[in-house]
Amino acid sequence: MKHAAALLVIIAVALSPAAALETETFYVPFDGARQWADIAAGNPFPLGSGWEVSDGALRITSTDGYLAWDATENVPHQRGTLSLRIDAADDFWRDGKRHCLFALSRSVTGIFAQPERWETTGLALSLHKTGRNTLDLVAHTGGGVFLSFAEVEPLISVDVSGLRGGESVVAVAWDWAERTVTLAAGDVQEAAIPAQLTEPWPYHMLVIGNTGVSSPFEQEPLGAAVDSISVTDGAFEEWAASQENGIRFATEPPEPPVLCAEPTIFTDDELLAQFECICRRHLEALIRAQEIAGSGGWNLAVAWPSLMTVMGQKSRLPETDGYFLGSKDGNTAFGGLFLAWGYEALGDERYLQAAERTGQMYLRLQSDGGWWQHSYVYENDEYVPTRDMILLQDHAQTGPMMLMMYLHRLTGKAEYLEAGMRSADFLASAQNDNGSWSYIYDAEQGIGLTAQRTPGGGEVNDYGTSGPIEALLHMARLTGKAEYREAALRGADWLVDVMIDNGKVVGWAAQYDAQNQPIPARHFEPASVSIYGSRWAAPGLAAAYWETRDERYLDPLNRVIAWLEANEAQPGQWWWDYEVETGRPIQMWERKIYYLDDPAQVEEFARVSGRTPQTSTVGRPDLLRGTVTSAVSQPWGKITEPPTRDGLARYVESQASGLAEWFLANPSQGFDEEAGMFLSRAQSGRAMTLHPHQCVRLLELLMKARAARGDVPIDEPMLRRLEMSQMHWNAALPVPEGL
């Protein structure tokens, strides 16, 4: 495909005549099927999805497909030249469609605490073939790192409707010393760098083949093949000369990081050796991602093989450098828990040290009032909250509390115990008068607030009340403080009281006001019975039953199970929201209710929202029944009798092959043989969670195997835990007396 160029398109910023010899800082030839850089001043591995590499070229294969590289070191910000060699169909330049060739966003790390500088700092650029068949170089000013909220300022626009297809070279160069922009596409045109931009700043991400905005509705797939990408730190003229002379700096193309080449413990058992390496790869990936972030924490998922962290499955690009998230089910605290569990299971001090880095970060960030903010950016040796938001749901408080207590159990350090108790004291004080917990806490008013900022409303959504119930009951057992138990059971009583059973629908709303009436939240979250409400309420009710053996905490769940079984929308599926008064399925968009049993309203909803209403499996009654059954039969988890070494050896032998078959051969578990890791498919490509449940289970088996060999004391309490499928309070709790 690397044939003679049919067209040369040049876009450049005017350069100093006395420019020094350029150096290539980044080069991706797309040889073979590889998408990572042969030359890189920084991270050579990209993230992205909706693409393929074949015949030595990259092609974007979906509307929101893209590839993106960390640009902080790969792309010089004072002066540089970025070039793409593309191969386009004959009508590409005149097809009347929008195509984005690249987007180059600037970082806000280092100025995050000074948002006024976002308006004047850094030159963010993107290049588009427009619907008018022009080639437009655009500057983005203000906004964050995704270009989503930036002001768009076209710098130069050139008519390309007369250009032919074939192979073309497109180049962008910048030099802040001259502050002029030149576009050459046959003729040469000049423009100035926007006057409001007063200083250069490091770049954040280089996106190829689509836009740098986060919204799926604002994507412009390239529609042409990319043969190569090159970035140099010199003038355009020097770059052009190097292309003519075929200059390319000799280098060995990088390979994905080796996270575990050989087992160090189970060298004489092939299957256990494989399990050991799989777990070490995940643990090592967390440590390296922690080092890259520099903050001590992570976002929700670690992309492979770049080890950049992203906001879960729907996220296109990473947040700014140094960002970490303290919210959602698998947040930073659970990454620390997974590392601590890796230390317990494998005995490697390095994992405990990494877990303590996270723990020490949380110690530093805990307020005098005992709470943590939603998320932070680490810059200039300071942690800057991304917004003033003391979130109560999504394990934003209970996750770090659990980590503090686990680290206290492992290390005996009083500072962790004290931090965990300060957190529990805060949760007890933040409880609403009706027994619930709200969406967020307003420290100035000293009250919980709903998503609509009304005071005293209760939250079922995202474990808003169940999370504190569980945590406070466990803290009561760990500390002996009766006030924690009292607060938790008042929360469980509230869940019983607000359960809706009116003959039309049975379950919980996601949010309530202070008078326990269902209320809406975001523009698409109506006042309704949410089918996920039972999943959110169940852990808190089960924990209250464990504590009291009072059947009234399980009765609401049994009633929901019966309603779900009798009201399937499709076999094994339900609608997400049901109107409280009528039980009709609904969805809301921009605060307007649409009834999903009315085809005309379904059509209208799809038109205004761009979404098709679908049923879901999240309400599965079998999962709820499992919660109820476990609460009765195994209130503190699956705990075995005190083990013997022979018994542990037999257990390991009986379990190993079954785990291998389930985790490694079952496609639903996401084992990637090439990487040797459990990876999910996300918008950003392949990624791992911060505490993969498969590895949690495998580490439990490896710990028992070490104990069978005599490497772990036989009276270690964690040896009595079975099937730890997720990191939970079991990690911090001792085995109850008498069991």
Side-chain angles (χ1 to χ4, degrees):
M1 187 166 180
K2 314 286 188 184
H3 50 76
L7 167 70
L8 177 65
V9 179
I10 301 169
I11 302 164
V13 176
L15 302 169
S16 167
L21 181 64
E22 49 126 25
T23 301
E24 195 161 29
T25 63
F26 185 74
Y27 173 60
V28 187
F30 298 114
D31 289 338
R34 289 190 297 108
Q35 74 278 16
W36 53 83
D38 277 16
I39 298 170
N43 192 335
F45 303 107
L47 46 74
S49 60
W51 56 268
E52 66 178 15
V53 172
S54 62
D55 297 328
L58 165 71
R59 293 172 179 82
I60 303 302
T61 58
S62 69
T63 302
D64 53 359
Y66 71 105
L67 271 182
W69 286 263
D70 186 343
T72 308
E73 296 177 356
N74 287 326
V75 181
H77 60 278
Q78 297 277 358
R79 182 189 69 185
T81 302
L82 164 65
S83 64
L84 302 179
R85 186 174 294 273
I86 67 174
D87 197 336
D90 286 342
D91 65 346
F92 175 78
W93 300 104
R94 56 181 181 275
D95 65 1
K97 299 178 182 178
R98 292 187 63 85
H99 304 288
C100 184
L101 282 72
F102 75 85
L104 187 58
S105 59
R106 63 98 168 88
S107 176
V108 294
T109 300
I111 57 173
F112 190 85
Q114 303 168 281
E116 68 278 2
R117 290 180 65 188
W118 296 14
E119 304 294 328
T120 62
T121 304
L123 177 63
L125 297 168
S126 62
L127 180 63
H128 306 259
K129 204 288 293 179
T130 73
R132 306 182 315 276
N133 296 326
T134 61
L135 197 57
D136 288 7
L137 179 62
V138 175
H140 302 260
T141 56
V145 296
F146 300 141
L147 305 183
S148 298
F149 305 105
E151 294 293 326
V152 175
E153 182 174 342
L155 302 179
I156 297 174
S157 182
V158 174
D159 184 355
V160 292
S161 61
L163 299 177
R164 296 185 298 117
E167 192 171 80
S168 311
V169 175
V170 178
V172 175
W174 52 95
D175 187 334
W176 276 79
E178 297 297 317
R179 295 190 60 90
T180 58
V181 180
T182 301
L183 169 60
D187 295 330
V188 176
Q189 300 185 38
E190 289 190 352
I193 292 176
Q196 76 179 77
L197 300 179
T198 59
E199 61 177 321
W201 202 254
Y203 286 111
H204 174 59
M205 296 298 296
L206 171 61
V207 179
I208 299 297
N210 224 322
T211 68
V213 301
S214 55
S215 170
F217 303 108
E218 299 180 63
Q219 303 306 308
E220 303 170 11
L222 178 55
V226 180
D227 285 355
S228 64
I229 307 166
S230 174
V231 178
T232 69
D233 63 4
F236 169 74
E237 292 83 359
E238 291 157 352
W239 169 84
S242 71
Q243 300 302 296
E244 292 176 4
N245 297 330
I247 297 173
R248 182 113 282 138
F249 296 97
T251 182
E252 285 293 327
E255 294 296 331
V258 177
L259 303 179
C260 179
E262 297 290 340
T264 59
I265 299 175
F266 298 101
T267 57
D268 56 352
D269 186 305
E270 183 177 354
L271 192 52
L272 295 182
Q274 185 180 15
F275 290 167
E276 179 188 346
C277 264
I278 289 171
C279 292
R280 287 191 185 277
R281 289 185 192 110
H282 284 270
L283 292 160
E284 182 65 25
L286 266 191
I287 293 175
R288 295 195 191 185
Q290 185 188 60
E291 293 168 347
I292 291 171
S295 64
W298 306 266
N299 211 323
L300 289 179
V302 179
W304 175 261
S306 69
L307 301 182
M308 292 184 279
T309 59
V310 294
M311 188 82 73
Q313 290 192 342
K314 298 180 182 179
S315 177
R316 286 171 53 80
L317 298 170
E319 299 283 346
T320 197
D321 294 343
Y323 175 91
F324 89 85
L325 182 66
S327 168
K328 297 297 182 184
D329 293 349
N331 68 49
T332 280
F334 294 89
L337 284 161
F338 178 54
L339 286 164
W341 178 227
Y343 160 72
E344 280 214 272
L346 298 178
D348 193 325
E349 289 282 345
R350 191 160 172 269
Y351 304 148
L352 179 60
Q353 292 165 4
E356 284 212 76
R357 281 196 291 274
T358 300
Q360 290 295 317
M361 177 193 71
Y362 273 117
L363 288 178
R364 178 176 172 180
L365 291 174
Q366 190 177 31
S367 72
D368 292 340
W371 62 77
W372 289 277
Q373 296 278 4
H374 168 271
S375 52
Y376 299 81
V377 169
Y378 182 70
E379 64 176 14
N380 303 322
D381 199 32
E382 296 290 337
Y383 288 92
V384 183
T386 63
R387 48 185 167 162
D388 186 11
M389 186 179 187
I390 305 169
L391 190 68
L392 297 178
Q393 63 177 35
D394 270 332
H395 314 295
Q397 309 303 324
T398 58
M401 185 201 303
M402 189 195 312
L403 176 62
M404 294 298 102
M405 302 309 288
Y406 190 9
L407 290 176
H408 172 253
R409 183 174 72 76
L410 292 181
T411 68
K413 294 179 181 179
E415 59 185 345
Y416 294 129
L417 174 62
E418 292 163 0
M421 293 180 67
R422 281 195 300 272
S423 177
D425 290 340
F426 161 65
L427 276 184
S429 68
Q431 189 173 27
N432 293 320
D433 291 341
N434 61 14
S436 67
W437 279 268
S438 295
Y439 171 60
I440 60 172
Y441 183 75
D442 186 313
E444 290 187 6
Q445 298 184 64
I447 195 168
L449 300 176
T450 69
Q452 297 300 311
R453 303 308 189 261
T454 57
E459 190 86 358
V460 176
N461 179 59
D462 289 331
Y463 312 101
T465 292
S466 276
I469 291 171
E470 283 190 283
L472 288 174
L473 284 175
H474 293 314
M475 288 296 290
R477 288 196 168 250
L478 286 168
T479 64
K481 295 189 70 171
E483 57 264 41
Y484 297 159
R485 181 182 188 275
E486 190 176 306
L489 293 181
R490 286 207 306 124
D493 291 342
W494 179 81
L495 286 176
V496 172
D497 291 342
V498 299
M499 190 259 204
I500 297 166
D501 186 353
N502 59 11
K504 300 290 185 179
V505 64
V506 179
W508 283 267
Q511 305 90 20
Y512 296 81
D513 63 17
Q515 289 72 47
N516 294 340
Q517 296 302 306
I519 57 174
R522 290 173 291 185
H523 78 88
F524 56 89
E525 295 174 321
S528 67
V529 170
S530 170
I531 204 65
Y532 217 139
S534 56
R535 294 275 294 276
W536 291 322
L541 291 172
Y545 172 81
W546 296 340
E547 182 65 26
T548 65
R549 298 302 191 271
D550 191 332
E551 292 286 343
R552 71 189 181 92
Y553 292 121
L554 298 183
D555 176 65
L557 296 176
N558 287 321
R559 283 188 281 159
V560 169
I561 290 169
W563 186 86
L564 289 169
E565 290 177 335
N567 290 273
E568 292 178 320
Q570 297 180 32
Q573 298 194 4
W574 297 262
W575 297 108
W576 189 274
D577 290 296
Y578 292 83
E579 189 175 54
V580 176
E581 296 78 12
T582 66
R584 295 175 68 187
I586 58 173
Q587 274 196 256
M588 188 166 75
W589 191 258
E590 299 296 343
R591 307 270 169 211
K592 181 179 178 181
I593 297 292
Y594 297 84
Y595 290 92
L596 304 184
D597 55 6
D598 184 333
Q601 293 201 32
V602 171
E603 183 178 348
E604 177 65 9
F605 174 84
R607 185 187 68 79
V608 299
S609 70
R611 303 179 179 186
T612 301
Q614 294 182 337
T615 54
S616 170
T617 62
V618 297
R620 288 170 50 188
D622 60 310
L623 296 179
L624 290 176
R625 184 173 286 107
T627 298
V628 171
T629 301
S630 295
V632 174
S633 63
Q634 298 170 330
W636 300 108
K638 296 182 179 180
I639 300 174
T640 67
E641 295 294 323
T644 64
R645 299 203 186 282
D646 287 344
L648 288 173
R650 290 193 298 272
Y651 172 80
V652 171
E653 184 178 4
S654 69
Q655 294 291 308
S657 60
L659 287 178
E661 182 177 354
W662 176 247
F663 286 146
L664 306 186
N666 185 345
S668 70
Q669 298 302 303
F671 183 68
D672 188 301
E673 291 188 7
E674 180 185 13
M677 299 168 66
F678 296 100
L679 302 175
S680 61
R681 294 286 174 177
Q683 183 68 41
S684 58
R686 296 180 294 174
M688 60 166 273
T689 64
L690 303 190
H691 63 131
H693 69 92
Q694 303 94 333
C695 286
V696 173
R697 179 69 180 88
L698 293 179
L699 285 169
E700 180 256 324
L701 188 77
L702 294 175
M703 184 181 192
K704 288 178 168 60
R706 289 181 62 227
R709 300 188 338 175
D711 297 346
V712 174
I714 199 67
D715 60 353
E716 163 57 48
M718 294 300 282
L719 293 176
R720 298 186 60 193
R721 300 286 186 186
L722 273 178
E723 297 180 13
M724 285 184 57
S725 61
Q726 296 188 27
M727 293 308 304
H728 205 53
W729 275 96
N730 288 346
L733 287 168
V735 174
E737 292 185 10
L739 290 182

